[in-house]
Amino acid sequence: MYRLYWTAFISLLRKEVTRFGRIWVQTLVPPAITMTLYFIIFGNLIGSRIGHMNGFTYMEYIVPGLIMMSVITNSYSNVASSFFSSKMQKNIEELLVAPVPNYVIIGGYVMGGVARGLCVGAMVTGVSLFFVPLQIEHWAVIVSSVFLTSVVFALGGFINAVYAKTFDDISIVPTFVLTPLTYLGGVFYSLSLLPEFWQGVSKINPIVYMVNAFRYGFLGVSDVDIHTSFSVLILFVILLFSLALYLVKKGVGLRS
């Protein structure tokens, strides 16, 4: 029985990887180009005027945040668009009646999003090497934080696709929620630059913990406690997965 579940999971994962791999010019190249522009504008042009931040050059400081930003957006968008397309084309109905648990279906789509997020993250990391030599303090922190963050936003994309009724609904959350939270998540600055009140407000933003955990893995510095960061990540994975499982079980947005 579990062999059947594993086969179903791998089949879904392979389908998702093939999907974004077949159109790699649209799914993998644009994020790398966008991040290259960020490196040039914010790193070289503006960074040279800003100087150092927390003991590092501005370029060194923002590279981990830019890598994480690319992982977040691509993990989210891959699952949101893929699952919504399956829902609109009625393909998801075949999965729902198949003899596999709902968590296998969710896992297949989410891991597909994680695969795209990590692929883009690796490409952006490679691009960053043309601008700044990366130093790595904690490999385990880097790998675990980027994986958990990718899972969180892949689950977020899945939930968005469940509720979405049109393709426009998919773009609402990234535009009005995801983008503002990302730009205010400490990607381009240290929280220590903010007044004490706004530092406290910023810590309500979960992306702050994700970016700082990833930055700690590279540079060994963080604006928030690293243990708190991983606690937030694990909590969001559990909450979002539970919500996704409940929505699929109840057929919310899936059964007319």
Side-chain angles (χ1 to χ4, degrees), residues 150-229:
S150 186
V151 170
V152 167
F153 285 94
L155 284 167
F158 184 92
I159 294 170
N160 185 186
V162 168
Y163 280 111
K165 296 181 180 179
T166 66
F167 276 103
D168 290 336
D169 293 336
I170 293 179
S171 63
I172 290 175
V173 173
T175 302
F176 295 103
V177 179
L178 198 56
T179 300
L181 288 179
T182 302
Y183 279 98
L184 297 174
V187 173
F188 298 101
Y189 58 87
S190 170
L191 296 188
S192 61
L193 299 177
L194 301 176
E196 186 174 349
F197 172 78
W198 291 109
Q199 289 185 36
V201 172
S202 295
K203 291 179 181 179
I204 300 175
N205 182 356
I207 294 181
V208 165
Y209 299 93
M210 302 169 188
V211 169
N212 275 278
F214 196 57
R215 181 176 287 133
Y216 179 82
F218 279 100
L219 306 179
V221 297
S222 175
D223 292 324
V224 295
D225 180 67
I226 190 66
H227 298 96
T228 303
S229 296

Side-chain angles (χ1 to χ4, degrees), residues 21 43 72 96 103 113-114 129-130 141 146 157 180 206 216 224 236 254:
I72 288 172
L96 293 176
Y103 64 80
V114 170
L129 294 176
F130 289 97
V141 174
V146 74
Y216 179 82
V224 295
F236 269 88
L254 304 177

